[in-house]
Amino acid sequence: MGRVSAWEALLLGFVEGLTEFLPVSSTGHLTLLFHLLGLPVESDDFLKTFLIAIQLGAILAVLLLYGRRFAADRALWLRLGVAFLPTAAMGFLLYPFIKGVVLGQDGIVVFFLFFVGLALLFADRLAERARYGDVLELPLARVAWIGFFQGLAALFPGTSRSGATILGGLLLGLKRRAAAEFSFLLALPTMLVAVGYDLLKSAPSIPQGGWSLLLLGFASALLTALLTVRGMLFLVERLGFRPFAYYRMALALAYAYFFLR
């Protein structure tokens, strides 16, 4: 099982919950943490499954925080469905490539950590002139493009699912808070399908004791994500996305210095 211990599973879940909904790349942070812990995520199939499966904890956090709106707002369902379709098509067609080739690759993670940071700086300036204060005001064609942006995140670790979705929302006219909240909500169908599909494919090969480690990571991610979502909205409304952009670029440089030499 990649020699992962119970405390390491809790730590990895904590980092997942902390970074999943911030535009800083949870996969990039977890890949870096795997390196620091000496866990071979590039070559261990269980660790790759663990990396994907603990996202269920973060999903449940969003369901607990936004479940009432999600259940009552049929117009929101339409937007989520339209945005989900391009993401689902890209993920389904390219799943073997994502898990077998790009997941855990340091060079890809570093490049997209830095590149999306630059893009967020540009998009954050556009938000000053944004037209749409809620995704329900956004034309459906633009909603579909946000789904395309999210699909790109699945192809390139280090991009950040939330970062790509927020970037797409800002570029297409959403205000900062609306872009962040739509990113949270779009995580529900996207991550449920992605994690469920991976678990169905991987369940027969999960070794004895693996499910308990997945449960530890899940619980840790859930509790951390519940706090992170509210904290992120507080920061975004006051500081915008610039702090996250600068952080991404600094992390990319540090990552490259220590692990790409």
Side-chain angles (χ1 to χ4, degrees):
M1 291 182 293
R3 303 181 300 278
V4 64
S5 66
W7 79 265
E8 288 169 335
L10 288 170
L11 178 61
L12 289 161
F14 171 81
V15 172
E16 160 63 25
L18 183 65
T19 57
E20 178 60 49
F21 298 111
L22 303 181
V24 296
S25 176
S26 61
T27 303
H29 281 76
L30 288 168
T31 304
L32 176 58
L33 184 55
F34 277 122
H35 281 303
L36 294 174
L37 295 173
L39 299 172
V41 66
E42 300 95 333
S43 57
D44 190 292
D45 287 339
F46 174 74
L47 291 179
K48 290 183 179 181
T49 295
F50 183 92
L51 182 66
I52 296 171
I54 59 173
Q55 296 175 16
L56 278 173
I59 298 170
L60 182 56
V62 170
L63 192 58
L64 291 173
L65 291 169
Y66 288 93
R68 184 175 298 177
R69 181 183 178 188
F70 184 76
D73 197 337
R74 300 294 179 88
L76 177 62
W77 293 9
L78 175 62
R79 259 78 181 163
L80 292 174
V82 168
F84 174 68
L85 285 176
T87 299
M90 296 167 73
F92 179 77
L93 292 173
L94 297 169
Y95 171 82
F97 173 73
I98 294 167
K99 189 166 183 180
V101 178
V102 303
L103 196 63
Q105 296 300 313
D106 292 330
I108 295 174
V109 170
V110 167
F111 176 81
F112 282 98
L113 272 172
F114 194 89
F115 175 77
V116 175
L118 283 176
L120 270 176
L121 283 178
F122 171 75
D124 190 66
R125 296 187 66 179
L126 292 181
E128 301 291 343
R129 304 188 300 274
R131 293 176 54 192
Y132 305 106
D134 192 287
V135 70
L136 299 183
E137 303 170 7
L138 199 64
L140 289 179
R142 297 194 179 200
V143 173
W145 274 107
I146 294 176
F148 175 77
F149 271 86
Q150 181 179 245
L152 292 177
L155 299 182
F156 304 112
T159 300
S160 166
R161 187 209 61 80
S162 61
T165 309
I166 288 168
L167 177 61
L170 295 175
L171 292 174
L172 292 161
L174 282 177
K175 294 182 179 180
R176 293 186 181 99
R177 183 184 178 96
E181 289 196 317
F182 189 57
S183 173
F184 303 156
L185 293 164
L186 188 53
L188 285 169
T190 302
M191 294 167 65
L192 279 173
V193 171
V195 175
Y197 182 72
D198 185 75
L199 286 176
L200 284 174
K201 298 274 288 187
S202 306
S205 61
I206 292 177
Q208 184 177 6
W211 288 105
S212 61
L213 291 171
L214 291 177
L215 183 60
L216 283 175
F218 165 88
S220 180
L222 167 62
L223 294 174
T224 309
L226 284 170
L227 298 175
T228 301
V229 167
R230 294 303 190 199
M232 178 185 169
L233 291 176
F234 178 85
L235 288 175
V236 164
E237 290 189 312
R238 287 154 181 79
L239 301 174
F241 291 102
R242 291 185 301 277
F244 300 109
Y246 290 129
Y247 172 77
R248 289 181 65 104
M249 292 187 286
L251 180 65
L253 294 175
Y255 198 142
Y257 179 78
F258 286 108
F259 295 105
L260 293 183
R261 292 190 300 168

